[in-house]
């Protein structure tokens, strides 16, 4: 846990946090013994911990916030802090959804501070819809209190919900950059190949270990909402890393090896992310890519020129594909902005 403000929760407040796993309730509950959660029906009526939650005085939000004001006010007067997941339900990924207004309405009604808590790691350790707990780390970061008088945000609860939601996403994005190193998604990625043959598994493991830094550079270069075309002779490992890193990316991948292409089409990640596996280079052309990544070696100069479209901002050559730079791509409006032995990034020239 990271607690730079040295928060002790002695003064009543409303805690807000992002929500991806049932473990979030346990993690927040460990912060202080006097916390009342505003929970959905599935939690309130859970056969596992529903009775304990009911006895603890947790409040089911399906009954309506307005109908529970008296009950919650008494709890606050008894020294309890309220806790809400303003997204309203668990997200399947680390993407933070729109904040609902209930928590901010209560903060206004009871004149309470808001304490934002960032939860990192639960979306990878045990995401929504899965029962298997993966090896990983869960980290909580407590941010500074937002007082009712905080001039950074409107004094209207409806506007505060939007503004604090935007602030929360910004802080969480920065927190992800702190926590997620080059190997962060490797265990999840390798699970995709664990039962596809030991030789393939070991080859992927070796590749992502050897090239971890250039793959991380790709993740940092390509926009979180970009459309990406990737031409490769790999087994989809970079496509999966791009998708795990940012759920809003649209990835169109052409894998030269037909067997590998079929194999990755039947993996789990493509079913939960926006990944399309094309059966030819030509099939990728209708997509207006913002980034073109090439890690294949059998791309002709003519094919490469066809891929250079007006929406393209980044052209990335990985590993052996760098020999394609012997063509005249540098004359097509791109500057070399990053280069190592195994990677070259060309970015569109600014006009």
């Amino acid at each position: 846990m990271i607690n730079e403000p040295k928060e002790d929760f002695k003064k009543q407040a409303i805690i807000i946090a992002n929500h991806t796993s049932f473990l979030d309730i346990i993690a927040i509950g460990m912060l202080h013994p006097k916390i009342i959660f505003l929970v959905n029906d599935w939690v309130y009526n859970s056969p596992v911990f529903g009775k304990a939650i009911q006895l603890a005085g947790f409040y089911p939000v399906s009954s309506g916030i307005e109908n529970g004001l008296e009950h919650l006010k008494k709890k606050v007067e008894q020294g309890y802090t309220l806790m809400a997941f303003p997204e309203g339900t668990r997200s399947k990924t680390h993407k933070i959804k729109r904040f609902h207004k209930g928590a901010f309405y209560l903060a206004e009604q009871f004149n309470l501070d808001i304490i934002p808590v960032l939860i990192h790691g639960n979306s990878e350790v045990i995401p929504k819809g899965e029962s298997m707990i993966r090896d990983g780390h869960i980290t909580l970061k407590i941010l500074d209190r937002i007082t009712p008088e905080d001039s950074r945000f409107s004094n209207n609860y409806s506007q505060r919900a939007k503004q604090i939601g935007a602030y929360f996403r910004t802080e969480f994005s920065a927190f992800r950059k702190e926590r997620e190193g080059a190997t962060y998604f490797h265990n999840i990625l390798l699970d995709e190949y664990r039962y596809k043959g030991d030789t393939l598994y070991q080859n992927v493991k070796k590749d992502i270990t050897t090239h971890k830094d250039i793959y991380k550079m790709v993740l940092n270069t390509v926009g979180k909402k970009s459309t990406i075309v990737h031409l490769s002779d790999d087994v989809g490992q970079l496509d999966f890393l791009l998708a795990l890193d940012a759920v809003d990316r649209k990835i169109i991948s052409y894998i030269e090896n037909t067997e590998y292409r079929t194999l990755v089409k039947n993996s789990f990640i493509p079913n939960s992310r926006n990944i399309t596996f094309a059966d030819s280079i030509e099939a990728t052309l209708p997509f207006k890519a913002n980034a073109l990544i090439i890690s294949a070696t059998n791309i002709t100069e003519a094919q490469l020129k066809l891929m250079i479209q007006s929406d393209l901002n980044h052209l990335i050559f990985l590993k052996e594909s760098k020999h394609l730079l012997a063509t005249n791509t540098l004359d097509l409006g791109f500057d070399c902005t990053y280069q190592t032995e195994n990677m070259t990034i060309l970015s569109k020239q600014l006009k």
Side-chain angles (χ1 to χ4, degrees):
M1 183 177 71
I2 301 171
N3 186 5
E4 293 174 357
K6 295 182 170 48
E7 178 61 58
D8 58 12
F9 301 98
K10 290 181 179 179
K11 179 185 177 183
Q12 297 95 314
I14 290 188
I15 299 170
I16 60 170
N18 52 306
H19 195 23
T20 59
S21 165
F22 72 85
L23 292 179
D24 297 334
I25 295 175
I26 299 173
I28 294 292
M30 295 174 66
L31 294 176
H32 195 266
K34 300 191 76 172
I35 296 177
I36 295 294
F37 286 77
L38 310 181
V39 296
N40 283 331
D41 281 357
W42 81 267
V43 177
Y44 195 76
N45 298 317
S46 167
V48 179
F49 40 73
K51 287 296 181 185
I53 280 175
Q54 293 166 23
L55 290 172
F58 287 26
Y59 184 76
V61 292
S62 61
S63 301
I65 291 292
E66 295 84 356
N67 297 328
L69 285 178
E70 193 61 35
H71 168 76
L72 295 173
K73 184 179 180 181
K74 288 180 180 178
K75 289 296 180 180
V76 171
E77 290 171 349
Q78 292 169 7
Y80 283 88
T81 279
L82 305 181
M83 194 282 147
F85 297 110
E87 294 170 275
T89 185
R90 290 175 296 163
S91 174
K92 291 184 178 180
T93 69
H94 45 63
K95 180 182 178 180
I96 298 174
K97 297 185 290 189
R98 179 180 67 88
F99 277 11
H100 293 278
K101 303 172 187 175
F104 307 95
Y105 172 75
L106 290 175
E108 181 180 283
Q109 290 294 307
F110 301 153
N111 197 38
L112 293 174
D113 295 345
I114 295 171
I115 305 175
V117 177
L118 311 177
I119 304 177
H120 181 271
N122 270 353
S123 56
E124 286 74 56
V125 171
I126 181 165
K128 181 179 180 179
E130 296 189 25
S131 55
M132 182 182 71
I133 297 179
R134 295 190 179 100
D135 184 31
H137 299 279
I138 299 169
T139 307
L140 274 62
K141 183 176 183 178
I142 302 170
L143 303 183
D144 290 325
R145 285 180 176 242
I146 300 173
T147 66
E149 299 80 22
D150 194 323
S151 60
R152 292 176 299 169
F153 309 104
S154 170
N155 56 11
N156 174 275
Y157 76 89
S158 181
Q159 290 300 314
R160 275 200 151 206
K162 296 177 183 178
Q163 294 166 357
I164 293 177
Y167 163 73
F168 195 102
R169 291 183 194 92
T170 299
E171 291 294 320
F172 187 71
S173 178
F175 192 37
R176 283 191 61 199
K177 289 179 182 178
E178 293 174 13
R179 303 299 303 175
E180 297 174 15
T183 63
Y184 181 73
F185 291 108
H186 283 194
N187 286 340
I188 299 175
L189 173 66
L190 288 172
D191 282 345
E192 293 290 320
Y193 299 92
R194 195 171 300 279
Y195 303 106
K196 291 180 169 64
D198 186 63
T199 300
L200 181 60
Y201 176 86
Q202 293 300 332
N203 286 342
V204 170
K205 185 177 182 180
K206 180 180 179 181
D207 177 75
I208 62 175
T209 301
T210 302
H211 298 111
K212 64 180 187 298
D213 292 326
I214 66 171
Y215 288 164
K216 181 63 174 175
M217 186 64 185
V218 172
L219 301 190
N220 292 341
T221 300
V222 177
K224 301 296 185 183
K225 296 183 179 181
S226 290
T227 296
I228 303 158
V229 169
H230 182 203
L231 313 179
S232 81
D233 54 11
D234 294 325
V235 201
Q237 57 266 43
L238 179 55
D239 304 317
F240 291 165
L241 286 172
L242 284 161
L244 289 168
D245 178 64
V247 67
D248 287 330
R249 284 180 177 139
K250 184 177 183 180
I251 301 160
I252 303 92
S253 174
Y254 169 67
I255 297 173
E256 290 183 340
N257 186 296
T258 305
E259 181 183 350
Y260 288 164
R261 195 187 317 142
T262 302
L263 197 66
V264 296
K265 280 182 180 179
N266 297 316
S267 297
F268 173 75
I269 292 176
N271 294 322
S272 61
R273 298 293 195 278
N274 197 346
I275 306 179
T276 300
F277 289 101
D279 291 322
S280 67
I281 291 177
E282 290 69 27
T284 70
L285 293 177
F287 297 93
K288 296 181 178 180
N290 308 121
L292 172 61
I293 303 172
I294 300 176
S295 52
T297 56
N298 295 323
I299 308 298
T300 67
E301 181 177 344
Q303 287 174 323
L304 182 57
K305 286 184 177 180
L306 282 176
M307 306 298 294
I308 308 298
Q309 300 182 23
S310 60
D311 293 290
L312 199 65
N313 295 318
H314 298 291
L315 181 54
I316 302 174
F317 295 90
L318 301 178
K319 298 179 278 190
E320 289 79 8
S321 73
K322 287 183 61 179
H323 78 277
L324 294 168
L325 288 171
T327 69
N328 65 350
T329 53
L330 286 171
D331 298 326
L332 295 177
F334 291 84
D335 290 324
C336 181
T337 53
Y338 185 83
Q339 189 165 23
T340 64
E341 181 182 356
N342 290 309
M343 179 183 200
T344 297
I345 299 177
L346 306 180
S347 300
K348 182 177 288 187
Q349 295 172 355
L350 297 176
K351 295 182 180 180

